[in-house]
Amino acid sequence: MGNGIQVRDRFADGAQYIGGKLRSGTSGHHHDVVNPATGETVYTYELAGTADVDAAVAAAKAAFPGWSGATPAERAEAMHRFAAVLAGQAEDFARVESLQCGKPIKLSTEFDVPGTIDNTSFFAGAARHLEGKSAGEYDGDHTSYVRREAIGVVGSIAPWNYPLQMAAWKILPAVAAGNTIVLKPAEITPLTSLMFAQAATEAGLPDGVINIVTGAGRVAGEHLVGHPDVVMTSFTGSTAVGKRVAEIATATVKRLHLELGGKAPFVVFDDADLEAAVNGAVAGALINTGQDCTAATRAYVQRPLYDAFVQGVAELMETVRLGDPFDPSTDLGPLISHAQRDRVAGFVERARAYATVVTGGEAPGGALEAGAYYRPTLVAGAAQDSEIVQSEIFGPVLVVLPFDTDDEGLRLANDTPYGLAASAWTRDLYRANRATREIKAGCVWVNDHIPIISEMPHGGYKASGFGKDMSAYSFEEYTQVKHVMYDNTAVARKDWHRTIFGDR
């Protein structure tokens, strides 16, 4: 499955998955899926047009009554089968993910695919645990209880950096709660999203519960978000595009969930385990070639450890092995495209005017020259208000700055528009507690950076968006809470009626 011919064969019928079947798009425009490690085209398909979006939404709408009416146990059973199908196809999923994204195969095999399978298993169980406030007589005369109900057709948009995992994060809580969904993956990385939907069909989920439309954002994406039969939109991507999604969604009064950009601070206090912090910074900055909205991008190091930290990170970065994503020894693959590689390089080149590039800062030549590779890069000496500190780079670049007092370190950590993730490195319990309280981010790690688990929520503060993926908290996005109240008195004329009828 790791070559273009087999991918073309598997998706010969097209890159749209509507009502349980692959079909071709109708936009009249074609798009190439390119292996960023080689620049080779592995699949060409016709993009979705508005008619394809309409068909997908219609299929989801038709499937909604049956799927939402199924018992939680029935939905859970189907999703457990889904997880089993995914597990049986894990190798294929990993190879295709690496093919379309350039991810090292060990990342796809050890992180993306098992994380997605675990997520599916989690939501299979969570489907039976939709909770509400306990029934009770809160005013003495009535019994109240809360129902959680599916909301309808969800139209979601997923990014290119983790195509499989992001498809799962959008699809699984929606369908576990009884909704149906139309997902638009990034047009440059649609393959594993399509495979995910196919696996759901193989597991016995009804046709139309999960649909995929692969098209351009301004055509298929905007039509999906604005569609009158779509009741909710969940979007993961840049803050700039998220603002456009919000404009369209609010114009049609849709529920909205946004997971946007990040610029995660990595705060190292002077009592931290230096070796652990150095290892954590390199791993946290370089995961997925830095194309991760929670990646460590700004290291703030208290001055007593600053020089040793800079030296340690630079030395460790220089040992990271760039290479063929399908070589098990490769540590770092290419960026998603040459355009993204050039964008990252632009940030670093502009920074040379006001900061020092300690290591990296270039694309490798030789055998890797045809790919979108960029060396792990450490930048020091930048000002807090500089572009490279404030803007999301989305590449293998870490900026390190010193701080003196704890107050200063935490202030600097909060000093960007973003608030998705952060980490604090200290042996002091009180420092750690203070950091987790005061850093404004949806996730704060202590003495680690990056790990996520299905049971815990993921989502941001500030310009990083709102709402949660994963965990039972995600059901807040995908269910409607209804208050039901029964009169217990059997009295025709209630005391409160006198506010309308007078004192009679």
Side-chain angles (χ1 to χ4, degrees):
M1 194 73 180
N3 62 64
I5 294 174
Q6 290 169 312
V7 166
R8 293 185 184 106
D9 290 345
R10 176 156 189 167
F11 301 111
D13 292 331
Q16 319 305 323
Y17 196 75
I18 299 172
K21 295 180 176 60
L22 284 171
R23 54 189 266 185
S24 182
T26 61
S27 70
H29 299 284
H30 288 78
H31 190 83
D32 294 335
V33 177
V34 176
N35 178 353
T38 64
E40 296 174 348
T41 296
V42 298
Y43 179 60
T44 300
Y45 66 96
E46 188 167 355
L47 291 163
T50 57
D52 303 304
V53 174
D54 290 341
V57 172
K61 185 177 180 180
F64 176 73
W67 183 247
S68 62
T71 66
E74 289 168 338
R75 289 198 295 272
E77 183 180 356
M79 294 183 70
H80 279 301
R81 295 195 305 267
F82 188 10
V85 171
L86 293 172
Q89 299 177 8
E91 184 177 352
D92 281 355
F93 272 98
R95 291 187 66 81
V96 175
E97 193 77 334
S98 288
L99 183 69
Q100 69 178 352
C101 299
K103 293 175 186 283
I105 191 66
K106 64 180 180 180
L107 179 63
S108 296
T109 301
E110 298 175 21
F111 184 73
D112 296 68
V113 174
T116 300
I117 295 168
D118 182 74
N119 228 228
T120 307
S121 295
F122 171 81
F123 279 107
R128 301 183 72 164
H129 295 279
L130 289 174
E131 296 180 350
K133 195 169 186 177
S134 298
E137 291 68 50
Y138 296 101
D139 71 352
D141 291 337
H142 301 83
T143 296
S144 290
Y145 68 88
V146 168
R147 291 177 55 89
R148 279 192 182 272
E149 298 179 348
I151 58 176
V153 177
V154 177
S156 293
I157 300 175
W160 49 257
N161 57 331
Y162 290 101
L164 176 60
Q165 285 198 307
M166 295 297 98
W169 286 17
K170 300 302 181 196
I171 290 169
L172 294 171
V175 301
N179 303 291
T180 56
I181 189 168
V182 179
L183 174 77
K184 192 199 88 66
E187 59 267 36
I188 59 177
T189 55
L191 301 179
T192 49
S193 298
L194 293 165
M195 291 170 64
F196 191 72
Q198 288 177 309
T201 299
E202 290 179 42
L205 273 73
D207 293 347
V209 171
I210 299 173
N211 306 274
I212 309 292
V213 290
T214 309
R218 291 194 176 277
V219 178
E222 292 197 2
H223 190 64
L224 177 62
V225 174
H227 199 289
D229 289 332
V230 169
V231 299
M232 176 193 163
T233 290
S234 177
F235 170 81
T236 295
S238 71
T239 299
V241 178
K243 291 177 181 178
R244 175 61 180 157
V245 170
E247 289 174 2
I248 299 169
T250 53
T252 50
V253 199
K254 285 179 172 48
R255 186 178 294 199
L256 183 61
H257 165 221
L258 298 175
E259 198 262 88
L260 306 176
K263 191 71 179 175
F266 186 101
V267 184
V268 182
F269 294 96
D270 57 14
D271 68 325
D273 181 327
L274 179 62
E275 181 183 7
V278 166
N279 281 276
V282 174
L286 300 185
I287 184 156
N288 202 35
T289 318
Q291 298 168 127
D292 187 311
C293 47
T294 64
T297 59
R298 300 178 288 138
Y300 297 101
V301 184
Q302 207 150 24
R303 208 169 291 274
L305 295 185
Y306 178 79
D307 290 339
F309 179 88
V310 171
Q311 180 180 348
V313 168
E315 290 175 353
L316 187 55
M317 278 187 169
E318 289 166 4
T319 70
V320 171
R321 299 164 296 187
L322 282 69
D324 176 1
F326 290 97
D327 183 339
S329 68
T330 292
D331 299 320
L332 199 72
L335 288 119
I336 191 64
S337 66
H338 285 83
Q340 179 65 12
R341 193 269 310 275
D342 293 346
R343 179 181 178 275
V344 170
F347 277 100
V348 177
E349 291 308 306
R350 291 189 295 274
R352 292 184 191 276
Y354 55 80
T356 300
V357 178
V358 180
T359 189
E362 62 182 4
L368 301 181
E369 191 170 4
Y373 289 89
Y374 196 75
R375 293 195 187 282
T377 300
L378 179 65
V379 176
Q384 175 66 15
D385 62 356
S386 62
E387 176 193 51
I388 204 163
V389 173
Q390 292 292 321
S391 298
E392 186 173 34
I393 300 171
F394 228 56
V397 179
L398 176 65
V399 184
V400 58
L401 299 88
F403 70 92
D404 291 303
T405 67
D406 289 14
D407 288 349
E408 181 189 12
L410 295 175
R411 178 182 61 78
L412 292 171
N414 285 326
D415 185 27
T416 72
Y418 300 105
L420 187 58
S423 62
W425 297 75
T426 177
R427 292 182 173 96
D428 187 310
L429 175 64
Y430 296 98
R431 268 179 163 167
N433 281 341
R434 182 186 177 192
T436 60
R437 287 195 310 272
E438 295 187 12
I439 294 177
K440 304 304 181 187
C443 175
V444 181
W445 293 283
V446 177
N447 295 327
D448 208 343
H449 194 108
I450 285 297
I452 53 174
I453 50 175
S454 296
E455 291 83 358
M456 288 290 117
H458 176 88
Y461 284 34
K462 303 190 294 186
S464 292
F466 48 82
K468 300 299 178 185
D469 287 311
M470 298 202 300
S471 82
Y473 291 97
S474 65
F475 288 133
E476 300 300 325
E477 320 302 327
Y478 296 102
T479 57
Q480 188 71 264
V481 173
K482 178 186 288 184
H483 170 214
V484 178
M485 178 179 268
Y486 285 90
D487 170 60
N488 292 330
T489 66
V491 174
R493 181 166 290 182
K494 310 292 195 293
D495 284 346
W496 71 267
H497 290 177
R498 68 177 179 271
T499 63
I500 306 302
F501 303 145
D503 296 327
R504 301 189 300 279

